Amino acid sequence: MTAPEPLIAADVISARVDELAARIDEDYAGVDEVVLIGVLKGSFIFLSDLARRLSIPRRIEFIAVSSYGDRESQDPTGAVRLIMDVRHDIVDAHVIVVEDIVDTGHTLDYLMRTLEARRPASLKACSLLQKPDRLEVDVSIDYLGFTIPNVWVVGYGLDWAERDRTLPYIATISPAPA
Ligand code: IMP
Ligand code: MG
């Protein structure tokens, strides 16, 4: 495997996170509180940058799922499973799910359906990255950072088998793992 090759520089990410935070601030102006639900582990750096740039009142929750995408489980069915739930009720809350990347869309689709069933006041999705070429389910992303080609990316929270998660920028590794 080659060394990670920079794809999106730290200052470019930072400028985009500013823009997303400004849009969220505008869209939720006047709302009591927004609940940001970070999807572990990949979103933790994006979530922490985004959350600190918002001006609106906000609360942080985390959720964790396991999917075919976890190289450890290799589940061929594409099934997504909740492995850690949020700590508080989200009924009547204004919720934004914060993802690192939408690949096939199965994870986000599962999360949105699961959370919608709990009757939040509103539910939106925010993802730093999306690979449109890989989409298998029709999910809508209300706040999207960047679209990228079908390559495996690491850094800024994203990993390959736990490696390169804390790189300050987003990089590609090749050959892309299966
Ligand atoms: P999906 O369910 O296929 O949309 O995949 C979602 C999950 O797969 C993401 O939240 C990531 O955890 C992981 N994933 C997909 N593509 C990448 C990548 O290029 N780098 C790191 N993780 C990825
Ligand atoms: Mg993820």
Side-chain angles (χ1 to χ4, degrees):
M1 192 182 297
T2 59
E5 192 165 315
L7 180 69
I8 309 175
D11 60 333
V12 176
I13 300 171
S14 176
R16 189 68 182 137
V17 176
D18 277 342
E19 290 173 0
L20 293 175
R23 275 181 50 206
I24 293 171
D25 270 343
E26 202 179 301
D27 291 353
Y28 291 85
V31 160
D32 279 356
E33 182 182 69
V34 167
V35 181
L36 302 169
I37 303 184
V39 186
L40 291 175
K41 299 177 191 173
S43 76
F44 86 110
I45 292 178
F46 175 44
L47 175 70
S48 65
D49 280 348
L50 183 71
R52 286 179 296 171
R53 288 173 205 197
L54 292 173
S55 305
I56 49 167
R58 64 270 188 201
R59 202 149 63 72
I60 307 298
E61 292 284 338
F62 287 103
I63 203 164
V65 291
S66 148
S67 70
Y68 81 95
D70 292 347
R71 277 72 57 178
E72 296 80 18
S73 69
Q74 297 291 326
D75 182 346
T77 65
V80 181
R81 207 161 43 89
L82 199 61
I83 55 173
M84 190 196 90
D85 206 344
V86 294
R87 293 281 187 93
H88 295 96
D89 231 347
I90 56 158
V91 65
D92 295 335
H94 292 282
V95 174
I96 305 176
V97 175
V98 180
E99 257 287 26
D100 52 354
I101 186 165
V102 176
D103 186 19
T104 63
H106 286 291
T107 305
L108 187 59
D109 178 58
Y110 168 84
L111 284 171
M112 297 304 270
R113 285 188 288 106
T114 302
L115 296 172
E116 188 62 56
R118 301 178 185 181
R119 306 267 167 254
S122 68
L123 179 63
K124 287 191 184 181
C126 173
S127 182
L128 179 67
L129 304 170
Q130 183 188 14
K131 296 179 192 172
D133 296 348
R134 294 260 308 160
L135 206 62
E136 288 175 9
V137 264
D138 188 27
V139 286
S140 77
I141 306 169
D142 302 281
Y143 305 101
L144 176 63
F146 305 92
T147 58
I148 61 165
N150 182 18
V151 290
W152 195 266
V153 286
V154 293
Y156 200 70
L158 295 103
D159 73 309
W160 161 241
E162 296 303 325
R163 284 168 52 184
D164 297 317
R165 203 188 277 287
T166 56
L167 276 180
Y169 53 90
I170 291 167
T172 59
I173 52 169
S174 59

